[in-house]
Amino acid sequence: MSPTNQQVVTYAFLRGMYEDGYFPDHVVDKGKAILLRLCERIEAERPPDLAALYVLTEAATEEFNTLEADFEAAGSGIETTAREMIAEDFWFVASAYGFAEADAEELVAARDW
């Protein structure tokens, strides 16, 4: 199932990472897939409140934690710039689904990066 939210469908996830040669596209693609799966879960489960949303974003954040090894294997890493871009896209997702009041730090609280 692909996301149906039009904001999400037209959004360029992790655009800044794709534009920076330091981040290999094939690994960034995996990060984009994590974010799209998060959107799919939000659409399927329709979290009723922030607490339920944070459960979903925690799972997606843990996937990014695992992805760090792929970045390192490709000679890259989730460093300051990437952290900010990823966190911004988590907030975009929350906002696109009606949770603009979500705390950006709480959305990625489980991060190791």
Side-chain angles (χ1 to χ4, degrees):
M1 172 178 117
S2 296
T4 60
N5 179 307
Q6 284 306 300
Q7 288 178 301
V8 168
V9 169
T10 60
Y11 187 73
F13 284 102
L14 305 176
R15 181 181 50 188
M17 292 178 74
Y18 281 112
E19 293 171 351
D20 187 332
Y22 176 71
F23 304 108
D25 285 354
H26 74 280
V27 183
V28 179
D29 288 344
K30 292 178 182 182
K32 177 180 176 181
I34 292 168
L35 291 164
L36 288 171
R37 280 193 303 275
L38 171 62
C39 294
E40 291 168 2
R41 285 193 68 192
I42 291 170
E43 289 184 16
E45 298 180 26
R46 302 202 184 279
D49 55 27
L50 281 174
L53 176 68
Y54 292 149
V55 169
L56 299 180
T57 61
E58 179 179 354
T61 300
E62 289 173 357
E63 287 188 68
F64 268 101
N65 290 344
T66 303
L67 191 58
E68 173 69 15
D70 290 3
F71 277 106
E72 290 176 0
S76 184
I78 299 178
E79 41 70 71
T80 304
T81 303
R83 285 184 201 111
E84 291 173 8
M85 287 185 232
I86 294 166
E88 285 173 12
D89 281 0
F90 268 85
W91 188 85
F92 165 79
V93 168
S95 181
Y97 288 100
F99 294 98
E101 74 281 9
D103 181 281
E105 288 299 315
E106 186 65 28
L107 291 169
V108 292
R111 70 181 173 192
D112 289 343
W113 29 273

